[in-house]
Each structure stands twice: as C-alpha cells, then as structure tokens.
C-alpha cells in the first residue's frame, strides 16, 4: 500500500447543466443545478484513498456549514484529515462549473480559504510528509506552501508530483528543482513551455523542454485521447478508454490520484499505472459531478 500525501484545495462545487456555452452578452436558461464536493486537491486525495492508498491531506476550509459535508466525505473514505484546518478570515473555496450537453466544462474558481494555506501549516504537517512515499500538489493553493512541502519531501527521499493547474507561465525555478514528476494537460504544457501540443512529436518536445527545467518524468494528459509519458529512458503513449462522457469534471484529478497509488517508485510500471489511471478517469466522466464520480479500486478492473 502506497502512502500518499496530497497538498491542495477543497471547494464546494456548484454545477450548472446547460445546453451549450453562452456567447458574450447572451442569457441562457440552465437545464439543472446541483452542489457537490470538489477542489483539485480534495479530488486527487479522494481518488488516491479510493484506490487503496494510505492518504493524508493538507488543506484549509472555512467555518461555514458548507464545508461540513466535505469533511464527512473525507472521514467516510478513511482519509487522514489531521491537517485539514479552518481559516479565520475566509470561507471555503467555491467552484462554479458549467457543463454542456457534450460533457465539456468551463470552471470559475473562488480560492477562499485555500489561499490561506501557509508555510506554518506545512511545518505542522512535516512528520506526515516525511512518512509518505510521495506527495502530490497543484496550484489552487499558494505556491510558497507547495515549495516548502516539496523541499521537505526532497530532503527526506519522498517523491514529488506536481499538477501545474491552474497553469502559470513561469513556474519558480525553486519549485522545479524539487519536482520529480510533472503532470499537465495539453493546455497547461503549452503555457509552461510555449510549445503547442498537436501530436506525439510535439509532446516529446514539451517533455524535453521540461527536462531542461529539471523535471525527471513528464506525463501529459490529452483528454479522451489518452496520456503521453517521458522518462529519462523511455517514452510512450497510453490510449484512453472509449466511453461516452457525461461530465469531464475531475477527470484529470482522478487520473493523478489513481496514478499516485499504482506507480512504482522507480517508474518501472509506468504504462500499467497510467492504464489504471486512464480507466479510473474513464469511469469518472460517465457520472455528473466531481467527487461522487470518482471510482473505488474494486470498480477499476483492467
């Protein structure tokens, strides 16, 4: 059983079902509205614990009742939430997700309490970081906190996985220096390197650019096509499972969380781990919502 630490966001998602995305200045009626748990960090942590990892989570929420059902979900899945703390100044993060009839989404994020995660919070979690096999983080929380967590991890032989989302153009060199693996989607990869992803050759060029930044292993996810990988010794492409998508929310988070539970520390089974992660993601997109759509290991049969 892998020991996975996740540092990241907790959001309450408001999901708006629409026929199509509105044009500027246009008013459209919604088909549906629902509320569910979300946040990239929480999604990835839930995906990890549901795939059997011993999972701990560093996050921050507000005092309002909106966060209570999030904590109940974490507890129900058996997650270590010792380091999910409450902000004194901000409410729980919020996401407003528009999902069209083809299952594609557009998302607006209010950071809220997620932006209150500090270096002091990271130090409070230091013992659990040191005890992990790997730590996963994203950019929905302050970058200085991610840097500090990855520094502690690197100093203690803990593998670091960065999901650079939402993408930032100039990732601090200080963070890249302590990142073992990076997992962007095609849009995020282009923002980071300036190289547009159009085919496997361009994915390879992206990976080579990221290698020069100090990254050891690169995985680029490309939605319903699958995912590309590059390590110092091999490259390849793992195709997606063909399904009818209802809602792609949390697909990438499910992939990363599931991957973190299966990947050997030396990356020797990277294609098998990515196939498992692709399968988990393909299950998630067949249900509306984020965390409620994330599958358990028993449902992910290869």
């Amino acid at each position: 059983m892998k020991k996975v630490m996740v540092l990241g966001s907790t959001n309450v998602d408001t999901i708006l079902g629409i026929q199509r995305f509105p044009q500027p200045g246009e008013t459209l009626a919604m088909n549906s509205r629902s509320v569910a748990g979300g946040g990239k960090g929480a999604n990835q942590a839930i995906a990890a614990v549901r795939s059997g990892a011993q999972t701990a989570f560093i996050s921050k929420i507000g005092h309002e009742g909106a966060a209570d059902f999030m904590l109940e979900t974490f507890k129900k899945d058996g997650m270590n939430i010792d380091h999910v703390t409450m902000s004194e100044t901000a409410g729980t993060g919020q996401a407003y997700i528009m999902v069209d009839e083809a299952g594609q989404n557009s998302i607006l994020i209010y950071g809220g309490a997620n932006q209150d995660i500090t270096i002091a919070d990271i130090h409070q979690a230091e013992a659990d970081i040191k005890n992990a096999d790997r730590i996963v983080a994203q950019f929905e929380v302050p970058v200085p906190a991610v840097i500090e967590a990855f520094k502690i991890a690197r100093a203690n032989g803990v593998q670091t996985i960065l999901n650079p989302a939402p993408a930032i153009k100039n990732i601090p060199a200080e963070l890249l220096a302590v990142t073992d693996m990076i997992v962007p989607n095609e849009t995020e990869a282009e923002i980071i390197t300036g190289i547009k992803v159009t085919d496997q050759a361009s994915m390879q060029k992206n990976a080579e650019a990221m290698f020069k930044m100090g990254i050891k292993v690169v995985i680029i996810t490309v939605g319903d096509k699958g995912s590309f990988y590059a390590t110092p010794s091999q490259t390849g492409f793992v195709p997606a499972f063909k399904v009818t998508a209802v809602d792609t929310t949390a697909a990438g988070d499910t992939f990363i969380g599931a991957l973190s539970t299966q990947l050997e520390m030396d990356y020797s089974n990277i294609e098998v781990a990515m196939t498992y992660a692709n399968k988990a993601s393909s299950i998630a997109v067949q249900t509306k919502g984020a965390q409620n759509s994330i599958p358990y290991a028993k449902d992910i049969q290869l």
Side-chain angles (χ1 to χ4, degrees):
M1 178 188 293
K2 294 289 189 298
K3 292 180 288 187
V4 177
M5 169 68 79
V6 178
L7 163 61
S9 55
T10 298
N11 291 334
V12 176
D13 291 351
T14 300
I15 303 140
L16 311 175
I18 56 176
Q19 182 179 3
R20 58 176 175 80
F21 295 108
Q23 299 298 314
E26 182 182 18
T27 301
L28 287 180
M30 292 183 292
N31 296 336
S32 62
R33 178 186 180 276
S34 59
V35 177
K40 286 187 174 297
N43 295 343
Q44 290 171 17
I46 286 174
V49 76
R50 289 183 183 174
S51 274
Q54 183 179 322
T55 307
F57 188 31
I58 304 172
S59 193
K60 191 159 280 193
I61 57 177
H63 280 278
E64 78 281 42
D68 291 345
F69 79 99
M70 302 289 294
L71 294 176
E72 288 306 311
T73 298
F74 299 159
K75 291 175 185 176
K76 182 180 177 182
D77 280 323
M79 193 187 302
N80 176 346
I81 55 171
D82 291 348
H83 307 295
V84 178
T85 57
M86 289 190 176
S87 170
E88 297 301 324
T89 60
T92 303
Q94 301 278 338
Y96 299 89
I97 304 169
M98 293 189 295
V99 183
D100 72 9
E101 291 183 342
Q104 295 302 310
N105 63 52
S106 291
I107 305 174
L108 297 172
I109 299 290
Y110 161 68
N114 297 310
Q115 296 305 309
D116 283 355
I117 296 176
T118 65
I119 288 174
D121 293 318
I122 302 304
H123 288 164
Q124 288 291 321
E126 186 167 348
D128 281 329
I129 295 173
K130 290 178 179 179
N131 187 50
D133 291 317
R134 52 176 55 108
I135 183 170
V136 181
Q138 329 76 34
F139 287 151
E140 286 187 344
V141 297
V143 173
V146 177
I147 293 172
E148 188 66 17
F150 276 26
K151 281 184 174 180
I152 292 169
R154 174 61 64 85
N156 290 276
V158 177
Q159 198 173 82
T160 56
I161 300 177
L162 180 64
N163 172 216
I168 56 177
K169 188 171 185 179
N170 297 306
I171 299 174
E174 190 178 13
L175 176 56
L176 292 170
V178 288
T179 297
D180 294 314
M181 173 186 281
I182 194 165
V183 189
N185 64 23
E186 68 268 41
T187 303
E188 293 152 0
E190 181 182 352
I191 290 171
I192 293 166
T193 67
I195 301 168
K196 188 173 181 62
V197 173
T198 56
D199 53 19
Q200 194 162 327
S202 61
M203 294 179 208
Q204 179 66 43
K205 289 179 181 177
N206 266 276
E208 289 169 357
M210 293 180 205
F211 287 156
K212 290 177 182 177
M213 296 175 185
I215 305 296
K216 295 182 179 68
V217 177
V218 177
I219 292 179
I220 301 173
T221 60
V222 284
D224 61 3
K225 297 180 183 67
S227 45
F228 167 86
Y229 71 92
T231 74
S233 60
Q234 64 181 121
T235 64
F237 192 88
V238 180
F241 290 82
K242 298 303 179 185
V243 298
T244 300
V246 173
D247 181 359
T248 57
T249 306
D253 297 332
T254 299
F255 177 92
I256 293 168
L259 178 79
S260 72
T261 72
Q262 304 297 308
L263 188 64
E264 297 296 345
M265 302 307 292
D266 62 358
Y267 313 110
S268 59
N269 70 331
I270 191 165
E271 287 201 1
V272 173
M274 288 170 65
T275 300
Y276 178 93
N278 278 346
K279 183 64 180 289
S281 184
S282 75
I283 295 170
V285 302
Q286 295 180 69
T287 301
K288 287 187 177 181
Q291 291 165 10
N292 60 294
S293 73
I294 297 171
Y296 291 82
K298 63 181 176 60
D299 303 314
I300 309 168
Q301 302 295 327
L302 295 180

